[in-house]
Amino acid sequence: SQQGEEDPQALSIQEGENATMNCSYKTSINNLQWYRQNSGRGLVHLILIRSNEREKHSGRLRVTLDTSKKSSSLLITASRAADTASYFCAYANSNSGYALNFGKGTSLLVTP
Amino acid sequence: NAGVTQTPKFQVLKTGQSMTLQCAQDMNHEYMSWYRQDPGMGLRLIHYSVGAGITDQGEVPNGYNVSRSTTEDFPLRLLSAAPSQTSVYFCASSIRRNEKLFFGSGTQLSVL
């Protein structure tokens, strides 16, 4: 499989805490992306980090990329109940014409 | 803009039946793709297209056909439905492959 791997598979935290999710991948990449999926809905793009970037911020989101370790992390600061969702990393795979391949996701539960 | 529109939202088929899942986007995106999402498997790429008249296979193409006669539309055809094709199907588009994807709301398909 060319899929990336997110870690952990599931994460449960309380409102106000930070949530960190990790993603590992197997090939060289142009960029790595993170998506969120609320239950029963389509995926929504959160952030894209290019291979020449090491860190990127968007609101309460911080993404890091370590191409030497083929890994990325997504940090959500000051989590809210509305952040409850599944989070997926995605990267382009040269074996599939640089179409995006998705990991299996991290299921995040934020309790009040 | 409606974004990416998928129809139908739900469908039940009998084994051996054929059907077409419709996908349309109004953002003038060159790149379109189909994914299936199964529990514990994440999203897996079925087929993709980099422009009108150009399609290619993804990770799990068997049992599915696609065509791209216009920039806007990218239908997915199930030739002879099988229970293994029970899944949630997502269409997605982007301005170019390897860039931010916009997802439709999905089609939940059950094959009995």
Side-chain angles (χ1 to χ4, degrees):
Chain A
S1 170
Q2 303 295 333
Q3 288 182 310
E5 295 289 337
E6 284 96 342
D7 171 60
Q9 291 186 351
L11 181 60
S12 182
I13 60 174
Q14 291 190 318
E15 272 190 327
E17 295 181 334
N18 295 342
T20 300
M21 291 157 255
N22 302 297
C23 170
S24 60
Y25 57 92
K26 300 177 182 177
T27 68
S28 60
I29 60 172
N30 291 339
N31 65 59
L32 186 137
Q33 304 177 35
W34 286 89
Y35 289 79
R36 182 186 72 216
Q37 183 181 35
N38 291 92
S39 180
R41 308 290 293 272
L43 279 74
V44 175
H45 182 269
L46 294 176
I47 197 164
L48 180 154
I49 185 166
R50 302 199 181 277
S51 60
N52 61 353
E53 297 175 309
R54 292 296 169 259
E55 187 170 312
K56 199 163 185 179
H57 296 255
S58 177
R60 294 184 294 113
L61 305 180
R62 183 180 78 123
V63 169
T64 61
L65 179 64
D66 187 335
T67 53
S68 66
K69 296 181 179 178
K70 290 186 166 56
S71 67
S72 174
S73 66
L74 170 67
L75 169 68
I76 304 174
T77 60
S79 295
R80 306 166 181 167
D83 294 327
T84 293
S86 292
Y87 292 82
F88 296 86
C89 69
Y91 64 94
N93 183 348
S94 60
N95 291 335
S96 60
Y98 297 98
L100 285 182
N101 284 74
F102 285 78
K104 296 180 181 180
T106 292
S107 179
L108 173 65
L109 174 65
V110 182
T111 55
Chain B
N1 286 351
V4 179
T5 303
Q6 285 184 241
T7 56
K9 292 190 182 302
F10 302 95
Q11 183 71 50
V12 178
L13 293 177
K14 295 181 180 179
T15 297
Q17 287 184 317
S18 63
M19 79 159 296
T20 300
L21 279 63
Q22 301 292 344
C23 176
Q25 52 89 12
D26 61 359
M27 297 173 282
N28 201 32
H29 285 171
E30 288 298 317
Y31 180 82
M32 297 185 74
S33 55
W34 277 101
Y35 291 88
R36 59 177 289 173
Q37 184 176 31
D38 303 293
M41 298 293 293
L43 278 81
R44 292 183 291 170
L45 181 66
I46 305 172
H47 285 285
Y48 64 95
S49 168
V50 298
I54 306 170
T55 65
D56 208 344
Q57 298 179 351
E59 183 184 356
V60 288
N62 292 341
Y64 307 95
N65 269 1
V66 292
S67 60
R68 184 95 180 269
S69 57
T70 66
T71 299
E72 294 78 20
D73 300 298
F74 190 44
L76 178 72
R77 297 182 186 85
L78 279 70
L79 308 174
S80 177
S84 60
Q85 294 178 305
T86 293
S87 187
V88 180
Y89 291 84
F90 289 101
C91 179
S93 72
S94 63
I95 191 165
R96 286 180 301 275
R97 61 182 168 184
N98 198 23
E99 294 294 330
K100 170 184 174 180
L101 279 174
F102 293 80
F103 278 82
S105 57
T107 295
Q108 188 168 324
L109 176 68
S110 294
V111 183
L112 307 177

